[in-house]
Amino acid sequence: MRGNVVYIAVAAIFSITAAYARSTVAWLFLILYVLFLFIRKRRLFLVSVVASCLFYLHFVYMDQQNNTHLSYNMTVFLFRLTAPITIEGDRLQTIVNVNGEKLQLVYYIKSSREKQLLSSLLTPGTICKVKGTLERPALPRNPNAFHYRRYLRFHHIHWILTPQSILSQNCHLSSPTIYEQLLSLREKGIRQIEDHFPAETVGIVQALIYGERKQLDEALLEGYQKLGLIHLLAISGLHVTLLVGAVFFLLIRLFTRETATIMLLILLPVYVVLTGSSPSVIRACLTAMLFLAANYRKMTLPPLDTLSIAFLLMLIADPYMLWDVGFQLSFTVTFALILSSRVIMFCDSALWRLFWPALIAQLSALPLLVYYFFEMSLWGIILNMIFVPLYSFIILPLSVISVAVCAMNPLFSVPFMWLLQKVIVWSDKVVLLFSSSYPLSLTLGRPSFFLLIGYVAAILVAFVQMEKRRYWGIGWVFIVIALHALSPYIDRYGEVVFLDVGQGDCIYIELPYRKAVYLIDTGGTLPQQRETWQQRKRKWDVGKDVVIPFLKSNGVRSLDKLITTHEDVDHIGAAEEIIRTFAVKELLVSKGDGNHSPLQEKLLQLARQKHIHVLNVARGDRWSAGGTSFYVLHPSATDAKDNNNSIVLYAKLGGVSWLFTGDIEEAGEKELVNAFPRLKADVLKVAHHGSATSTTELFLDQIQPKIAVISVGEHNRYHHPSPSVIERLQKRNTLILRTDQHGAVRYTYVKNHGTFSVMLP
Amino acid sequence: MNCLICHTPYNPMMSWRHLLTIEKVDCLCSKCRHAFMRMNGEICDICGRPFAGLEPSHRQGRLCADCVRWQEDDEWKDVLTKNRSVYMYNEWMKEVVALWKFRGDYAIVQAFQEEFCREFYRHFDHTFLIVPIPLSAERLYERGFNQAKALAELLALPIHDILTRHHLEKQSKKSRRERLRTENVFQFSGKTSLQGKRIVLIDDIYTTGTTLRHAAKVLRQAGATDISSFTLIRS
């Protein structure tokens, strides 16, 4: 068994996946793997089969138990806080326990006084009685969007509890468990850093000491992520090794080796809780504990076995971990580094010893990074060579010393903090410079199943070749990357997607073989008037959170045309962000009366600055690409104003005729009908989100749409779509697809045939 | 996992090739593994003896003095085309051979598998007939296994047992002169003619080359045109 636990770990991966997916493919992989063992590692065959069965049954059992005992109609709840609260502006979030079931609690604070009150009142261990409502967590509303419901379910949470109010007289502190006491201790420590440390360093020191990233600047965090440096801000093997080493070194001055080992074995679980119990911390501490325990028994454990045992233990405790991004990345990279130790040991120079781990880590994490973040950074390896030693030998030790000294006497820690501040400010500058000005990242999009297999195969070949010092083996990985980057251009499918951007429009059109990519409008978040205490550090933005992730997940690197139908925020609000993120070739604006709103003016200025070709279009303009023609039917370049100045587009895609109407109203529709008395369309993008002032009887009688798509936000303040419009459409037996009810509406086609699909069931 | 030679527990190095079972996990600990000395550098064209550390007077061009002497003798000239070996003889090897051959730890042969095969294919290929040097019946009974045959089996090629051997005194108790003088102990026992065949003799060690040349001579008389030898050790 020695040296072979890794094969059991792999068996566990396949059997849990098969138990979850229950698909033929998953089963096929499990069977192929067991066959592989039968042929190549016969001694492990039986053990692996037994382990696979056990993991399979274990998961099936756990999954069956993972159910709710609560129901919609509950209104009164007695909950116990099991986690520290997070307050962001006016939103309070935490996890609570009701009758032994975990719930996600979201509460909107009503006043700044209440905010202060609650932040001191609600500590782990508090029991409260509230009135509130239960809601199922959201399903993804757009393709490749985050699956919040599944995410929470994997954390054994099935409901979101929204209390009407949290009153102090209904809350009392019960005696907290040790776990909850540790959490409170952690909160205290985090707050201490916030109070004593220089502002620039707070976020990073909190991340390094307590694994807490909430105070980190959003742009900075994004920068670290983009450049592949984010692992430095997670507490991982490197931290734990350094810390355990240092503590052990101190302890053996005072105690015997054995006592020191036992003390560390007790301290490490405490450390896990204090650092937020992220998968990477658990992994690192568990391997450290296994190593120490083996050492105590005067045994040695091969590193690969140690890691595999930690992996298996974590999966036994919680098989859903397998889907945790942090878990996946942490284990993948560590496995790869251990297996590649031969390659790293080939070289003697320090520079190469920095280069190889950076390359191996990047290479092994590549499929995961591309799958979750849709892009890869080319800086990763070089920057890691600088930042890994910087963090391990300067920033981390300085942070630990500063925090330790600060706990004793804040005054003495000043010189350390000063030095730390200098280093962190410098490193932040470097990260921001590279991530914003020279990101050098390649957007690839979410890889298909076959591409993922291609990645894994190519990376394995590259690692095997590198062991034989055939470094060109890495070329295989580049071939797969190139294939991935070119895959849209050999894809015969075209698609039209009405993204769910809430209240607003955003329509994505991709022609077959990616002959062209267009975006009609971008959606936009309406600015809200908020008081300072209500403002969140990270504001939700439809461009940043919906449109850009969607485009990136589709592997879009450039837009052939960005069509802004008119000047409203809900149509062009996110345009600026999109122009900054993607290479936009042409920007189409309505000719209209020539008056531009400030928002539009800003956009045009940015376009000039980025040398984007701006086209003023009106009736009579047309273009074609990949055998498809697009006609601008409106405005007629006279004196159209506001909504009636919207660009109206007509095109035939996938054997279906489409009319994209922007926000035109009755006057615009009338003019359209008069100008094109024979105009018909199969699919009508209902103008102005289904407002009663558009989509008139006259217009519908003429266009005779079979399908009407309404792009509208849930519970929007304008009460769109109007019941009268719905009635008019229903009267004509038109199929209505609404983004507020169906999520994104998608039409995928090959040649003249296609199918509509919606995100929500 | 315990080392096959020193029996101490050790952690075998795992790599991608091991994980994917392209390469077998080493059955020796790294200390034992590194104690073996592989043949490298310039060697004698015929007997494969390394020139490094050899007195210059023992070398004549591309041959060593011993091989020149063999070549000068008309009876032995070109009987053996060439000999190649995997390891050099050193104190460590002496111990391992004692353990393996004389104390009968047959399993140790596994430790040689990878390098023995790799070296074989560097000098020869599968078209050669593999002929292990036999033991006499008495010696085989005494030892329990034929070390030459055990090595030949590592190659996973067909083995041709076409030689037999009379019992004589142990070779290692004789001087070179005595060995040269001894009559040929081998006989050809094959059924088919060796006309035009190329042969590789397999043995554990090449010391003076007498044994191998005696065997080669018998095979040459049976019609083989080209006879080489491949041994684990070159002393």
Side-chain angles (χ1 to χ4, degrees):
Chain A
M1 213 46 222
R2 200 182 180 87
N4 285 326
V5 189
V6 62
Y7 294 102
I8 309 293
V10 177
I13 297 176
F14 284 126
S15 59
I16 293 177
T17 315
Y20 173 72
R22 295 186 189 203
S23 66
T24 331
V25 183
W27 270 105
L28 194 72
F29 270 88
L30 181 60
I31 290 166
L32 280 178
Y33 178 68
V34 170
L35 251 155
F36 159 79
L37 287 181
F38 185 74
I39 296 165
R40 307 289 301 187
K41 286 261 174 188
R42 185 99 25 122
R43 279 193 328 188
L44 294 173
F45 172 70
L46 208 66
V47 189
S48 301
V49 170
V50 172
S52 297
C53 291
L54 288 178
F55 271 101
Y56 188 92
L57 294 173
H58 177 57
F59 183 83
V60 170
Y61 175 76
M62 293 282 270
D63 207 45
Q64 257 166 15
Q65 296 296 306
N66 190 7
N67 267 324
T68 180
H69 308 294
L70 309 176
S71 69
Y72 272 113
N73 44 35
M74 279 180 74
T75 49
V76 182
F77 302 88
L78 185 72
F79 67 71
R80 182 191 174 97
L81 247 77
T82 51
I85 53 166
T86 25
I87 297 183
E88 267 251 64
D90 63 347
R91 190 177 57 194
L92 184 153
Q93 275 183 304
T94 186
I95 292 166
V96 295
N97 198 310
V98 176
N99 300 337
E101 183 174 334
K102 281 202 287 181
L103 299 178
Q104 173 80 43
L105 180 139
V106 180
Y107 176 63
Y108 290 93
I109 302 167
K110 296 178 183 76
S111 69
S112 68
R113 219 176 62 82
E114 191 188 13
K115 185 175 174 178
Q116 257 177 359
L117 185 81
L118 288 178
S119 66
S120 59
L121 177 74
L122 299 175
T123 52
T126 311
I127 294 176
C128 288
K129 196 174 172 186
V130 294
K131 272 189 181 165
T133 48
L134 287 181
E135 211 183 316
R136 295 300 305 275
L139 287 168
R141 303 184 68 92
N142 285 297
N144 294 335
F146 180 58
H147 201 310
Y148 190 48
R149 185 177 293 178
R150 188 175 62 198
Y151 170 82
L152 284 185
R153 184 171 182 275
F154 283 0
H155 288 85
H156 304 269
I157 296 172
H158 304 275
W159 299 99
I160 294 174
L161 168 62
T162 318
Q164 286 160 6
S165 60
I166 301 175
L167 302 171
S168 59
Q169 62 263 33
N170 290 340
C171 294
H172 68 274
L173 188 67
S174 72
S175 62
T177 60
I178 296 174
Y179 176 72
E180 287 163 352
Q181 277 173 4
L182 285 174
L183 285 180
S184 300
L185 196 68
R186 174 170 186 254
E187 283 303 294
K188 219 180 267 172
I190 290 171
R191 218 163 291 156
Q192 195 188 27
I193 291 173
E194 201 176 337
D195 294 342
H196 291 98
F197 276 65
E200 299 94 332
T201 65
V202 169
I204 299 226
V205 175
Q206 282 180 349
L208 291 180
I209 305 292
Y210 292 107
E212 172 66 67
R213 288 192 199 158
K214 279 176 201 132
Q215 296 282 331
L216 264 173
D217 181 55
E218 194 198 328
L220 194 66
L221 197 62
E222 209 172 274
Y224 272 94
Q225 197 262 299
K226 227 176 182 174
L227 300 174
L229 296 170
I230 194 79
H231 63 97
L232 294 169
L233 299 179
I235 296 175
S236 61
L238 195 66
H239 289 57
V240 174
T241 315
L242 288 174
L243 283 175
V244 166
V247 172
F248 193 70
F249 180 77
L250 288 176
L251 285 178
I252 51 169
R253 322 251 118 196
L254 302 169
F255 307 100
T256 61
R257 258 187 118 74
E258 285 69 26
T259 323
T261 309
I262 288 180
M263 287 172 82
L264 270 174
L265 282 173
I266 296 165
L267 282 175
L268 277 167
V270 174
Y271 181 72
V272 168
V273 180
L274 284 181
T275 49
S277 351
S278 70
S280 68
V281 181
I282 302 178
R283 189 218 86 220
C285 289
L286 213 53
T287 39
M289 285 167 71
L290 285 166
F291 176 79
L292 285 168
N295 212 351
Y296 184 77
R297 304 282 313 267
K298 302 270 180 294
M299 297 190 313
T300 56
L301 265 179
L304 196 67
D305 281 353
T306 319
L307 190 67
S308 306
I309 294 168
F311 182 84
L312 290 170
L313 287 177
M314 283 174 79
L315 283 185
I316 291 168
D318 182 6
Y320 292 112
M321 270 281 180
L322 199 56
W323 285 273
D324 187 288
V325 192
F327 179 88
Q328 294 173 349
L329 279 169
S330 178
F331 273 103
T332 308
V333 172
T334 322
F335 267 116
L337 285 172
I338 289 178
L339 285 170
S340 304
S341 49
R342 220 193 237 190
V343 179
I344 300 166
M345 282 187 329
F346 278 154
C347 44
D348 301 320
S349 84
L351 207 63
W352 286 110
R353 290 215 165 182
L354 280 175
F355 171 77
W356 284 113
L359 177 79
I360 290 158
Q362 288 278 312
L363 207 57
S364 57
L366 183 67
L368 291 170
L369 293 178
V370 174
Y371 186 84
Y372 290 112
F373 305 110
F374 319 128
E375 53 190 344
M376 57 176 280
S377 165
L378 304 177
W379 282 121
I381 293 165
I382 297 164
L383 286 178
N384 265 301
M385 286 172 69
I386 302 165
F387 274 78
V388 169
L390 178 75
Y391 265 79
S392 342
F393 301 118
I394 299 173
I395 297 184
L396 179 65
L398 264 179
S399 305
V400 174
I401 293 169
S402 306
V403 170
V405 176
C406 183
M408 290 184 260
N409 188 337
L411 201 65
F412 292 135
S413 64
V414 170
F416 298 111
M417 286 185 192
W418 178 82
L419 197 62
L420 191 62
Q421 188 186 11
K422 291 276 168 249
V423 182
I424 287 180
V425 167
W426 177 83
S427 70
D428 285 358
K429 266 189 199 151
V430 174
V431 168
L432 287 175
L433 178 79
F434 279 107
S435 63
S436 63
S437 312
Y438 312 98
L440 217 71
S441 62
L442 180 63
T443 304
L444 292 164
R446 178 160 285 185
S448 65
F449 178 69
F450 290 106
L451 270 170
L452 269 181
I453 297 210
Y455 271 111
V456 173
I459 287 166
L460 284 178
V461 170
F463 277 134
V464 168
Q465 296 287 358
M466 280 193 320
E467 256 169 30
K468 293 206 241 163
R469 305 197 185 203
R470 291 190 199 144
Y471 299 119
W472 50 259
I474 211 165
W476 289 105
V477 182
F478 284 108
I479 290 173
V480 178
I481 293 173
L483 210 68
H484 188 185
L486 296 176
S487 60
Y489 300 97
I490 50 174
D491 179 13
R492 63 206 183 100
Y493 285 91
E495 65 176 342
V496 180
V497 185
F498 294 81
L499 284 174
D500 180 7
V501 289
Q503 182 70 5
D505 269 18
C506 183
I507 302 154
Y508 171 81
I509 300 174
E510 179 182 336
L511 300 183
Y513 303 102
R514 194 163 278 189
K515 293 281 186 210
V517 174
Y518 307 125
L519 199 64
I520 305 177
D521 289 333
T522 63
T525 313
L526 290 170
Q528 278 178 308
Q529 284 299 315
R530 286 175 161 267
E531 288 180 44
T532 1
W533 70 268
Q534 288 180 309
Q535 274 167 15
R536 292 180 202 155
K537 203 164 183 149
R538 200 204 177 294
K539 288 190 196 80
W540 191 83
D541 179 84
V542 76
K544 216 185 250 172
D545 295 308
V546 176
V547 185
I548 290 174
F550 167 78
L551 291 173
K552 281 192 175 170
S553 77
N554 254 6
V556 171
R557 291 174 284 270
S558 67
L559 291 171
D560 294 282
K561 288 187 202 313
L562 174 59
I563 300 145
T564 56
T565 59
H566 66 295
E567 64 199 19
D568 285 355
V569 177
D570 57 341
H571 290 254
I572 62 167
E576 190 185 329
E577 195 74 40
I578 283 165
I579 289 177
R580 287 189 194 280
T581 313
F582 301 97
V584 176
K585 288 177 193 151
E586 274 180 350
L587 178 68
L588 267 63
V589 285
S590 167
K591 214 174 240 169
D593 55 5
N595 287 330
H596 297 309
S597 69
L599 183 65
Q600 220 169 5
E601 199 53 61
K602 206 168 141 199
L603 205 61
L604 292 172
Q605 207 178 341
L606 180 70
R608 273 195 293 277
Q609 201 186 318
K610 291 229 159 201
H611 308 290
I612 296 168
H613 193 204
V614 179
L615 279 175
N616 287 295
V617 295
R619 180 177 301 158
D621 285 322
R622 54 166 289 189
W623 77 86
S624 41
T628 311
S629 294
F630 292 80
Y631 302 88
V632 179
L633 306 186
H634 193 81
S636 56
T638 48
D639 55 347
K641 272 197 179 62
D642 303 330
N643 283 345
N644 279 324
N645 191 21
S646 293
I647 296 177
V648 175
L649 275 179
Y650 175 87
K652 221 169 172 166
L653 296 159
V656 181
S657 55
W658 302 71
L659 193 61
F660 303 102
T661 54
D663 266 3
I664 57 162
E665 310 211 17
E666 194 174 350
E669 288 180 350
K670 211 169 190 175
E671 203 197 312
L672 205 61
V673 170
N674 288 336
F676 303 96
R678 282 189 301 164
L679 179 66
K680 289 202 183 345
D682 299 318
V683 185
L684 171 71
K685 202 251 18 155
V686 172
H688 202 186
H689 324 290
S691 151
T693 50
S694 310
T695 324
T696 53
E697 305 259 2
L698 175 82
F699 186 67
L700 286 178
D701 281 340
Q702 147 107 55
I703 303 295
Q704 294 174 10
K706 295 189 189 83
I707 293 172
V709 182
I710 310 179
S711 188
V712 64
E714 249 182 325
H715 317 297
N716 65 78
R717 61 176 96 161
Y718 315 100
H719 304 293
H720 290 157
S722 154
S724 58
V725 170
I726 301 289
E727 195 193 296
R728 274 175 239 158
L729 289 167
Q730 275 171 345
K731 214 163 68 188
R732 287 168 179 78
N733 282 330
T734 312
L735 176 69
I736 304 170
L737 297 172
R738 298 166 53 164
T739 59
D740 61 339
Q741 290 178 352
H742 300 111
V745 175
R746 196 173 183 181
Y747 180 72
T748 327
Y749 67 92
V750 185
K751 286 183 182 150
N752 284 332
H753 301 281
T755 41
F756 275 94
S757 58
V758 292
M759 282 305 290
L760 300 179
Chain B
M1 209 157 148
N2 290 353
C3 174
L4 205 57
I5 292 177
C6 69
H7 300 291
T8 48
Y10 74 106
N11 292 328
M13 173 105 151
M14 274 295 269
S15 70
W16 292 99
R17 295 169 57 75
H18 292 130
L19 183 77
L20 300 174
T21 67
I22 301 168
E23 199 175 285
K24 271 197 181 151
V25 176
D26 198 353
C27 53
L28 298 189
C29 68
S30 63
K31 207 174 135 209
C32 289
R33 173 59 68 199
H34 289 121
F36 287 110
M37 257 170 77
R38 293 251 307 275
M39 301 285 285
N40 50 23
E42 258 193 304
I43 53 169
C44 168
D45 267 3
I46 294 180
C47 70
R49 178 187 222 171
F51 285 138
L54 198 69
E55 276 177 51
S57 58
H58 283 279
R59 179 179 175 173
Q60 289 179 24
R62 301 173 59 83
L63 298 183
C64 67
D66 281 353
C67 289
V68 172
R69 266 163 75 194
W70 283 113
Q71 289 299 87
E72 279 166 357
D73 189 334
D74 282 343
E75 197 192 338
W76 295 107
K77 190 175 189 304
D78 288 333
V79 166
L80 194 68
T81 312
K82 66 173 182 185
N83 171 69
R84 291 295 176 264
S85 309
V86 185
Y87 300 111
M88 288 195 250
Y89 204 58
N90 57 9
E91 273 308 303
W92 166 252
M93 196 44 135
K94 204 165 147 186
E95 275 178 48
V96 174
V97 168
L99 204 61
W100 176 46
K101 248 168 82 174
F102 303 127
R103 288 165 67 186
D105 195 346
Y106 176 80
I108 287 177
V109 76
Q110 279 173 40
F112 308 127
Q113 170 138 39
E114 197 193 323
E115 280 170 332
F116 193 76
C117 290
R118 195 192 310 141
E119 284 299 304
F120 177 84
Y121 284 105
R122 255 181 63 186
H123 305 293
F124 309 101
D125 57 53
H126 66 276
T127 59
F128 287 83
L129 294 188
I130 307 294
V131 180
I133 296 293
L135 292 181
S136 61
E138 290 86 344
R139 180 84 66 245
L140 187 63
Y141 175 77
E142 184 183 300
R143 193 167 290 165
F145 69 97
N146 176 0
Q147 73 280 0
K149 198 169 177 189
L151 286 170
E153 278 164 355
L154 293 179
L155 298 172
L157 291 172
I159 292 171
H160 301 265
D161 274 320
I162 49 174
L163 287 175
T164 48
R165 186 179 192 161
H166 313 294
H167 185 63
L168 274 180
E169 260 183 277
K170 275 185 189 172
Q171 287 277 312
S172 47
K173 289 178 181 166
K174 291 177 187 166
S175 67
R176 179 175 196 268
R177 182 174 280 268
E178 277 176 322
R179 286 193 197 188
L180 273 175
R181 259 194 275 113
T182 49
E183 55 176 308
N184 204 327
V185 290
F186 295 107
Q187 279 139 21
F188 178 66
S189 63
K191 305 262 180 316
T192 54
S193 155
L194 293 177
Q195 207 60 49
K197 290 275 167 41
R198 297 197 299 167
I199 289 173
V200 185
L201 289 163
I202 306 285
D203 204 359
D204 54 344
I205 188 160
Y206 181 109
T207 312
T208 60
T210 314
T211 314
L212 287 160
R213 277 185 174 82
H214 277 159
K217 200 164 188 184
V218 172
L219 294 173
R220 188 166 286 268
Q221 282 156 3
T225 43
D226 177 41
I227 300 142
S228 306
S229 66
F230 185 60
T231 68
L232 183 69
I233 309 157
R234 176 70 178 87
S235 74

